[in-house]
Amino acid sequence: MELPEVVTYVDGPVAEQRQVLTAEEIERMHVCDLPEVLESCGVQMLSYGPYGLEQRPSIRGSTDETVRVVIDGICVNNAQYGSFDFSSISVADIERLEIVRGGFTEGVSDEGAVGGVIYISTKKQSLGHHFTSDSSIKSYFNSYLPFDTFSQQLGYSGQLSDNDFLKLNLKGVFANNRFLFLNYQNRLKERLNSEVVDGTSNVSYSHFFDGGNSLTVSDLFYAGNKNCPGTETSTTVGVQKDIDNNVTVSLINPELGGIVRLENNFAWLCNNRFYSEPGSAESKHYVNTFKYAGYADFYALKNIRQNAGLTFDITNLDSTNSGNHTHFSGTFKETTKLQFSRIFSMSVPFAFKFDNKNTAVIPKLGFKAAFGYFDIMLDGYRMIQFPILQDLYWEGAGFHGNPDLKPEQGWGAEFTFDVHRFIVPFSVCFYTNYYESKIKWVGNTTQNVASAFYFGIDFNSQKSFFNDRLILRGNVEYLYTELLDKNNKYEYGKRIMWTPDFTASLVVIGKLPFVNCVLECNYIGKRYTDNMNLFSLNPYFLMNLSAEYTCFEHVTPYLRFENLLNQDYEAVENYPMPGISITMGAKLSF
């Protein structure tokens, strides 16, 4: 097997740093959900519990609404909350995962990210008929409940006729999520009221015309019933029900006149959430977004490559707490890449964003020098984050949004040194951001009052040994942040809450004659729980191990151990995470 390099490139002469995982790498980890994969790549996850409960990615200290999630060219962030529920997609349906750290990437399908982008490409249809199954049970070694989580995945991919293909992926999970933890009084306690029952399906039909042109209709559906236990000291138990449905129609023309590749996507993103607590009325939130996303890749000229994308969204929000609103937004984004010589090239991404009240021009300029054994990349860019609907319109519990909010904005720069012909290939990225007009809850409303400085060093490396029988992949990131609000003397000069000073990950992949093993090590450093830096959470180190038996042709039994060191830790204050667990399962393929 040939693994991708740690640093890969967008089509064209100029690069940006991307971390790539293939379907084979993801499948060997035998994880239940996508956040576990992201953690193995060094991404900090703000987790409020195990499977099915809220988990938010933070890249380079950014908030989750600034991290774009793009599935097959469609940005799927929830318009109300700005985030994406990672339980709503089955890991078994992912063909390729790409993580881009930093602001304003070169890709034209991310609508101008600030914190970073998580690109997900789902598996495509295949010739013949293929069936897959993945059955597993999980235990937290709780004597009251020997087996906690039951998961079942079924998949089919096949050819219906010469030009018609069908793909189907189904997954259902029952997770009781009961585990023991040490509470704030250092007493052993059992985590209760965190049961999750959910299911997801992804159905895709494709028809191919002459010349490789294709029409694809797909539906990604998710339904989940989640008992939300609250903090470890909370006596209130909430019940959250999520029903999401994303319907996409895509028309792809891979070659028009030998000049351009075109892709047109029409999507309906439906996100419904219902939440209730004992003694209070149920709150209901309906978010319906109708989206057009079109992309063009001009490839005819030898030394010039241009990509362009146009998105237009109409969102209707009908919420108990936020009222009824219709929101318009859109982006035009293009990236021009120029190759001056065999060594020097330049990238000029540009975006224009708009919504009901705001417009923004977002430029970027990048240079690359390729010297054979190493590359040097230098980028400078602007960052813009429009307010999410919750910040604009939320009403409840004495808090209310602010419809007059302005966009968050700032500037950033990156310097990357990529050594790809060395004993151990590696890349080092130095980055800095200045961000102002950040939206912050002050008193009982939201205001553009925060500004901050970011500086970080991001190190990546990957090396294979013994003809790919042993592969090491590592990431280390140092992040320094400083709040710059002079009107708040208690917070001025302090670090931003929840942002760790160090994050690190190490993945060791071993391929033995009959067994494949994957060892994941993740470290999250010290995080302050308030912007005055009075209180903090301890660093934590997690170690996970997966092993699969490969001697059978159609059956692959596997084991996965999580938190092997049985560490007591919290990713978010007062939300304990589980200790050691074991997952036992088997995958079938025909």
Side-chain angles (χ1 to χ4, degrees):
M1 178 187 70
E2 182 178 352
L3 289 174
E5 295 182 3
V6 171
V7 178
T8 59
Y9 305 106
V10 181
D11 288 340
V14 179
E16 64 185 359
Q17 192 182 51
R18 292 196 173 202
Q19 192 171 4
V20 181
L21 284 96
T22 63
E24 186 176 5
E25 293 175 273
I26 296 173
E27 289 171 359
R28 282 183 176 170
M29 296 170 63
H30 302 291
V31 297
C32 193
D33 59 357
L34 187 55
E36 296 177 72
V37 180
L38 297 176
E39 283 183 319
S40 73
C41 298
V43 175
Q44 178 194 9
M45 296 300 301
L46 299 174
S47 301
Y48 291 77
Y51 174 85
L53 301 180
E54 191 171 12
Q55 301 186 73
R56 302 177 179 180
S58 177
I59 298 178
R60 292 183 175 176
S62 65
T63 53
D64 60 300
E65 64 264 21
T66 69
V67 178
R68 295 286 181 262
V69 179
V70 178
I71 300 179
D72 293 334
I74 298 294
C75 185
V76 292
N77 292 65
N78 186 301
Q80 181 180 13
Y81 304 107
S83 56
F84 172 71
D85 187 352
F86 289 102
S87 301
S88 62
I89 183 170
S90 172
V91 176
D93 203 31
I94 298 176
E95 178 66 30
R96 182 180 176 91
L97 176 70
E98 301 181 56
I99 302 171
V100 181
R101 292 171 166 84
F104 196 61
T105 66
E106 294 181 356
V108 295
S109 59
D110 57 53
E111 302 181 4
V114 171
V117 186
I118 299 171
Y119 292 101
I120 300 172
S121 299
T122 61
K123 293 180 179 178
K124 302 301 183 287
Q125 298 85 343
S126 58
L127 298 175
H129 299 277
H130 303 274
F131 299 90
T132 60
S133 172
D134 186 351
S135 307
S136 67
I137 57 175
K138 185 175 186 176
S139 174
Y140 288 113
F141 300 100
N142 189 331
S143 60
Y144 299 103
L145 190 71
F147 299 108
D148 172 86
T149 302
F150 300 84
S151 175
Q152 178 64 58
Q153 178 267 331
L154 297 171
Y156 166 77
S157 178
Q159 187 174 5
L160 303 180
S161 67
D162 290 341
N163 299 318
D164 298 283
F165 296 82
L166 178 67
K167 183 193 69 174
L168 173 63
N169 192 291
L170 304 173
K171 180 184 176 183
V173 177
F174 168 78
N176 199 68
N177 288 334
R178 291 177 64 175
F179 56 88
L180 300 176
F181 69 96
L182 289 175
N183 69 358
Y184 66 101
Q185 296 175 330
N186 206 32
R187 295 178 179 177
L188 196 63
K189 191 176 180 181
E190 187 178 19
R191 188 60 155 161
L192 301 174
N193 304 312
S194 55
E195 181 180 289
V196 173
V197 180
D198 67 3
T200 181
S201 67
N202 190 356
V203 183
S204 179
Y205 164 79
S206 294
H207 177 81
F208 287 85
F209 304 92
D210 294 336
N213 302 314
S214 64
L215 174 68
T216 299
V217 181
S218 60
D219 180 81
L220 178 61
F221 177 80
Y222 172 78
N225 189 87
K226 308 172 182 181
N227 291 336
C228 303
T231 62
E232 64 177 272
T233 58
S234 173
T235 58
T236 302
V237 180
V239 177
Q240 178 178 307
K241 299 178 181 179
D242 292 327
I243 301 176
D244 302 330
N245 194 45
N246 299 344
V247 179
T248 305
V249 178
S250 301
L251 179 61
I252 299 177
N253 308 106
E255 184 181 28
L256 289 180
I259 299 175
V260 61
R261 178 188 182 275
L262 289 180
E263 179 177 345
N264 290 281
N265 299 288
F266 302 89
W268 168 45
L269 310 181
C270 175
N271 304 112
N272 300 322
R273 173 168 292 180
F274 312 94
Y275 185 81
S276 62
E277 293 181 358
S280 61
E282 183 180 52
S283 64
K284 302 178 181 180
H285 311 274
Y286 303 91
V287 183
N288 288 277
T289 299
F290 297 90
K291 178 188 291 283
Y292 167 76
Y295 311 109
D297 179 11
F298 301 92
Y299 54 82
L301 298 179
K302 182 177 180 182
N303 295 323
I304 300 177
R305 189 70 178 264
Q306 187 173 50
N307 299 309
L310 175 66
T311 66
F312 183 74
D313 298 359
I314 302 176
T315 298
N316 178 257
L317 169 66
D318 187 1
S319 168
T320 301
N321 296 94
S322 301
N324 195 309
H325 303 274
T326 299
H327 193 78
F328 301 90
S329 62
T331 304
F332 170 75
K333 189 176 180 183
E334 69 85 31
T335 298
T336 300
K337 304 173 185 181
L338 307 172
Q339 185 77 47
F340 298 112
S341 66
R342 297 182 62 181
I343 297 178
F344 297 103
S345 56
M346 182 174 69
S347 174
V348 190
F350 167 88
F352 174 76
K353 292 183 65 174
F354 65 90
D355 68 3
N356 290 33
K357 295 185 177 181
N358 305 293
T359 60
V361 175
I362 313 173
K364 180 178 181 179
L365 185 62
F367 296 92
K368 176 185 175 183
F371 295 104
Y373 286 92
F374 64 91
D375 299 338
I376 296 176
M377 292 175 283
L378 178 63
D379 296 299
Y381 47 84
R382 190 185 185 200
M383 303 178 296
I384 294 288
Q385 173 70 23
F386 284 4
I388 58 176
L389 300 187
Q390 179 172 264
D391 291 337
L392 293 170
Y393 306 120
W394 181 267
E395 296 285 345
F399 294 90
H400 59 90
N402 180 2
D404 297 322
L405 287 172
K406 299 178 181 179
E408 301 176 347
Q409 58 182 317
W411 293 89
E414 297 181 8
F415 174 78
T416 303
F417 186 70
D418 176 29
V419 179
H420 45 81
R421 294 185 182 179
F422 191 61
I423 299 175
V424 179
F426 68 91
S427 68
V428 179
C429 177
F430 300 86
Y431 62 90
T432 182
N433 296 322
Y434 172 72
Y435 210 38
E436 60 182 354
S437 300
K438 288 179 67 67
I439 297 171
K440 181 179 177 181
W441 285 89
V442 179
N444 61 348
T445 189
T446 49
Q447 299 181 30
N448 294 98
V449 296
S451 58
F453 170 77
Y454 298 72
F455 172 77
I457 304 173
D458 188 5
F459 176 86
N460 291 276
S461 182
Q462 180 167 305
K463 178 66 175 179
S464 61
F465 304 88
F466 313 117
N467 295 322
D468 288 342
R469 292 189 178 277
L470 176 64
I471 301 168
L472 304 180
R473 184 179 73 237
N475 169 271
V476 178
E477 181 176 311
Y478 167 76
L479 176 63
Y480 172 79
T481 62
E482 185 174 315
L483 290 165
L484 301 177
D485 305 322
K486 292 185 177 181
N487 61 336
N488 191 331
K489 63 179 181 180
Y490 300 106
E491 296 183 357
Y492 181 78
K494 302 299 177 64
R495 294 203 175 198
I496 302 174
M497 60 188 296
W498 302 121
T499 58
D501 48 3
F502 280 96
T503 59
S505 67
L506 174 65
V507 177
V508 181
I509 303 173
K511 296 192 295 182
L512 303 175
F514 301 107
V515 178
N516 292 328
C517 299
V518 179
L519 177 68
E520 311 152 34
C521 303
N522 308 309
Y523 173 82
I524 300 295
K526 179 180 178 180
R527 294 139 292 142
Y528 289 104
T529 58
D530 64 286
N531 282 336
M532 291 190 293
N533 296 176
L534 298 177
F535 306 98
S536 63
L537 292 178
N538 294 326
Y540 61 87
F541 177 80
L542 301 179
M543 183 180 294
N544 307 322
L545 176 65
S546 302
E548 62 181 22
Y549 190 56
T550 60
C551 70
F552 302 122
E553 181 179 0
H554 298 291
V555 182
T556 305
Y558 64 85
L559 295 173
R560 177 174 174 83
F561 296 89
E562 295 179 4
N563 196 356
L564 269 172
L565 303 180
N566 198 29
Q567 181 166 6
D568 290 300
Y569 73 101
E570 293 177 353
V572 178
E573 185 182 19
N574 293 325
Y575 285 87
M577 297 295 290
I580 187 172
S581 66
I582 181 174
T583 300
M584 298 167 284
K587 292 182 178 180
L588 308 178
S589 60
F590 299 94

